[in-house]
Amino acid sequence: MKNVCLLGATGSIGLQTLDLIEEFSDEYKLTAISFGKNIKVAKEIIDKFHPLYVSCMDEEVSLELKKLYPYLEVGYGDKGLKEVAEFKTDNPIVINALVGSVGLYPTICAIKHHRDVYLANKETLVIGGKIVTKLAEDNKVKIIPIDSEHSAIMQLIHNHDKKDIKRLIITASGGSFRDRTRDELENVTVDDALKHPNWKMGAKITIDSATMMNKGFELIEAHYLFDMPMSKIVPILHKESIIHSMVEFNDGSIFAQMASSDMHLPIKYALMNPSHSKSLNIEPLDLFNIDSLHFSKLDSKRYPMISYAVESLEKGDIYPTILNSSNEACVKLFLEGKIKFLDIERIVKAALDNKEYEKYNQLPFTIDLIYEVDKVVRKDVLEGKFGE
Ligand code: MN3
C-alpha cells in the first residue's frame, strides 16, 4: 500500500488524482492533503478518504477545520505544505498538483526527504529546474511528470537510447484563441479566455494556454526533465490535441503518443509506469471519430510568449523566475478584470527587459534568491510598475 501525500487536492489535477486513488484503493491510500481555500470540496474529500493530515492556505480556515474534525491533524500556509510533503508514513509518495511558484518549496522538502515527486506543478521546474534536478540527483529521487506532453515523451523514450533522439516535438493545441488573429485579441474577455477547446483545466493554466505561456513553460520543463538542450525541443501546433507529443529519432522515425484529452492518463502513467494497465477513469480514443490530424508551424509573432520563455532561459538562471512571477501576477490581474489580455505579454516582456532586475542575475543562483526575486517582481507587477 502506498500512502499518497497530495498537494493541491481540490484543484483539477488533485480531483482527478483522487478518482484514481478511489479506483485503485487496494494500492493507494490518501494520507495527507493540502488545499487552498475551497473548504466545501475539502470537506467532501476528508469525509470520503479520511486523510490523517490536512493543510490549507490560511490559519482561519485551519481553525474551522479543527473544529469540524477535532481528531484530524491540521496545518496551514508554507509550513503546512512542508508537512504534507514530509508527512511521516510508510511508502509515501508525494504528488504536487499546486498552481504557481508556491509549488517549488514543498517539492524541495520532498526531495530532501528522499521522496520521489510526481510533478504537475510545472512552475517548480520553470523557476527552479537547475537546482531541483541537481538536488534530485544528489538525493537519488525521481521527478515524474504529470503533464500530458511530458508523459507522452516519457512513454515514447522508455527503453530507447537517448543518444538516438534527434528532437522532442511538443504539441500545442493553441488554446482558446488559436483561430483568432492578433488584432482580434485586443478586446477578448476573461470568459472567452477560459473556454479551452480541448481540455477542461483550472483557470490559471487555461489562461496560460491562451497566451501560450504554458507551452513556453513546457519547453523549459522538457529541457530539465529529459536533460535535452533547448535546440532539440520544438513546439508544433496540433489543434486536435490527439497526439500529446512526439519523439523524432536520428533514423527518421517519429513516434507519437495518441490518447483522448484526459489528464487521468498522464496521472495514472506517472503513478504506475511503465505499466499501461486499464483504468475505468480513462475514456478510450475512438480512431473512427477523428476526422483528420493537423500540424502547423508556430508563428512566434502570433505567439511571442513561447520565445520569451526560451529567451529567459538563455538570459540567465534567474530570468525564468522573472518570467514566471510577472506572468502569475498578470494572470491574476487579468482574471480580476484589471488588465487586458494582450497586456499580459506586454508586461511579461517589460519585466524581462527591466534593467533593475539585472543585478539579481549577478548573484549566486539559490532557492532564497528565487523567492526574493519572485516577491519583488510580483509586487512590481501588481502595483502597476509596468503600466496597466
Ligand atoms: Mn501540458
Side-chain angles (χ1 to χ4, degrees), residues 122 147-149 214 218:
K122 56 190 79 184
D147 197 339
S148 60
E149 295 79 0
N214 182 55
E218 290 182 347

Side-chain angles (χ1 to χ4, degrees), residues 276-300:
H276 282 283
S277 59
K278 185 180 168 67
S279 161
L280 297 171
N281 275 294
I282 300 164
E283 188 71 36
L285 177 64
D286 181 358
L287 288 173
F288 298 113
N289 258 337
I290 306 168
D291 187 30
S292 50
L293 299 176
H294 293 83
F295 307 101
S296 52
K297 267 196 181 148
L298 269 166
D299 175 0
S300 61

Side-chain angles (χ1 to χ4, degrees), residues 53-280:
Y53 180 88
V54 177
S55 178
C56 54
M57 200 182 280
D58 306 314
E59 185 177 15
E60 212 186 311
V61 177
S62 77
L63 295 173
E64 202 178 320
L65 273 178
K66 193 74 202 166
K67 238 183 254 163
L68 286 166
Y69 304 97
Y71 301 104
L72 194 62
E73 242 187 286
V74 166
Y76 67 92
D78 277 343
K79 187 162 171 281
L81 297 179
K82 177 182 160 76
E83 281 168 355
V84 172
E86 297 177 354
F87 191 78
K88 235 195 198 132
T89 176
D90 296 332
N91 302 319
I93 64 169
V94 178
I95 302 178
N96 187 341
L98 293 167
V99 176
S101 60
V102 67
L104 175 63
Y105 175 61
T107 300
I108 289 182
C109 296
I111 295 173
K112 285 186 173 166
H113 267 64
H114 310 284
R115 296 179 172 186
D116 292 340
V117 181
Y118 298 75
L119 193 64
N121 175 262
K122 56 190 79 184
E123 290 88 348
T124 285
L125 288 175
V126 171
I127 65 179
K130 196 172 178 177
I131 295 170
V132 167
T133 46
K134 171 84 171 56
L135 203 61
E137 212 185 294
D138 293 347
N139 285 281
K140 299 186 175 57
V141 303
K142 283 186 282 199
I143 308 273
I144 303 126
I146 298 181
D147 197 339
S148 60
E149 295 79 0
H150 307 79
S151 175
I153 292 169
M154 185 165 83
Q155 296 174 47
L156 295 169
I157 62 179
H158 175 70
N159 277 342
H160 285 282
D161 196 336
K162 217 182 101 188
K163 70 175 190 326
D164 290 336
I165 297 172
K166 186 177 174 193
R167 53 185 189 156
L168 309 179
I169 303 169
I170 312 268
T171 51
S173 70
S176 13
F177 299 138
R178 64 174 178 218
D179 298 323
R180 304 199 195 200
T181 63
R182 280 195 72 79
D183 289 342
E184 287 168 341
L185 293 179
E186 195 61 54
N187 289 309
V188 291
T189 66
V190 173
D191 284 344
D192 295 335
L194 287 176
K195 283 180 204 133
H196 195 286
N198 305 343
W199 294 93
K200 253 190 93 223
M201 306 180 289
K204 163 74 168 42
I205 187 169
T206 305
I207 302 299
D208 284 346
S209 295
T211 61
M212 285 285 219
M213 182 78 281
N214 182 55
K215 211 46 60 180
F217 285 166
E218 290 182 347
L219 301 184
I220 300 179
E221 202 185 350
H223 163 70
Y224 286 118
L225 282 170
F226 305 110
D227 191 22
M228 295 281 279
M230 282 303 251
S231 57
K232 288 187 166 189
I233 306 169
V234 291
I236 187 176
L237 206 55
H238 165 52
K239 65 181 182 183
E240 288 85 8
S241 293
I242 296 292
I243 292 178
H244 297 296
S245 275
M246 295 177 255
V247 178
E248 182 173 358
F249 291 94
N250 286 324
D251 62 3
S253 268
I254 297 179
F255 287 19
Q257 185 255 350
M258 300 198 288
S260 46
S261 305
D262 179 347
M263 283 307 292
H264 287 104
L265 175 54
I267 299 168
K268 187 198 161 286
Y269 190 76
L271 291 173
M272 300 182 182
N273 79 86
S275 162
H276 282 283
S277 59
K278 185 180 168 67
S279 161
L280 297 171

